Amino acid sequence: MILMKQQSREKMLLQADPDFLENSIQLTSEYESRYACYKSKLNELLNICKEKNIAVTILVIPASCQVDESYKNNYSAIGAALPKTSCSDTLYPFLDRLTIDLKNEHVTIVNALRYFQLVDCAQYRLFYSNDIHLNKYGQMEIARCLLQQKGIR
């Protein structure tokens, strides 16, 4: 039942803005100004962490359609426009901008995209086949990705 509720919510949101994925990944359209708002709020949080000497790691989890072409049908089925970029595309303006904006902030940015592309396969899917969210294997791989980044086995 929860999966159906999530899928209906995602369907409604993507039907309202079918280009959401492309625009958020590429920072096009009004998403450039949305990024500015996001960055402002993130700076507030980072300032608090800096004052309290708290280490910050930002984990960038890719959309499933960035990981493998087979997931693109999930997005199409719930009303999203399919991203024009292919899964092999290395352009990721959102991440590039975030990396540049935070380079002097003593923040670790972990990009799970390449890691997910390496481990996701037909026999070991990281996202649900009928939903755009991570499944239990995807959740485990997020943990492994973070541990690998931190040098912990």
Side-chain angles (χ1 to χ4, degrees):
M1 185 61 147
I2 291 172
L3 184 62
M4 288 180 67
K5 284 182 182 177
Q6 287 177 340
Q7 199 170 21
S8 335
R9 180 177 172 270
E10 298 298 330
K11 185 175 185 175
M12 180 185 68
L13 292 172
L14 290 170
Q15 285 175 344
D17 186 1
D19 294 316
F20 168 77
L21 290 167
E22 183 76 16
N23 290 335
S24 60
I25 292 167
Q26 299 298 326
L27 283 183
T28 54
S29 189
E30 75 272 6
Y31 288 82
E32 181 71 30
S33 61
R34 288 183 187 183
Y35 176 83
C37 181
Y38 164 77
K39 175 69 168 68
S40 171
K41 296 295 183 187
L42 183 59
N43 280 336
E44 289 177 26
L45 178 63
L46 293 176
N47 287 335
I48 292 168
C49 291
K50 194 174 196 176
E51 289 170 8
K52 297 180 185 259
N53 200 27
I54 298 170
V56 176
T57 298
I58 296 175
L59 173 63
V60 180
I61 301 173
S64 59
C65 62
Q66 290 177 274
V67 175
D68 189 86
E69 296 288 333
S70 65
Y71 291 116
K72 285 189 175 184
N73 291 336
N74 293 353
Y75 283 93
S76 181
I78 60 173
L82 293 178
K84 295 167 190 74
T85 55
S86 74
C87 291
S88 60
D89 197 342
T90 56
L91 297 175
Y92 199 169
F94 168 79
L95 180 64
D96 296 342
R97 178 83 176 273
L98 188 66
T99 303
I100 290 167
D101 288 348
L102 298 180
K103 71 178 178 182
N104 295 322
E105 296 295 330
H106 308 289
V107 172
T108 302
I109 298 174
V110 177
N111 176 11
L113 178 59
R114 293 290 172 235
Y115 180 84
F116 268 31
Q117 288 173 331
L118 290 172
V119 297
D120 185 272
C121 64
Q123 297 79 26
Y124 189 74
R125 289 292 180 204
L126 304 182
F127 295 86
Y128 289 105
S129 62
N130 61 347
D131 187 77
I132 61 176
H133 296 94
L134 292 169
N135 62 27
K136 67 179 181 179
Y137 303 113
Q139 297 289 333
M140 287 189 307
E141 292 305 332
I142 283 293
R144 287 185 180 129
C145 180
L146 285 170
L147 291 171
Q148 184 180 56
Q149 178 70 28
K150 296 294 183 183
I152 302 169
R153 294 197 179 257

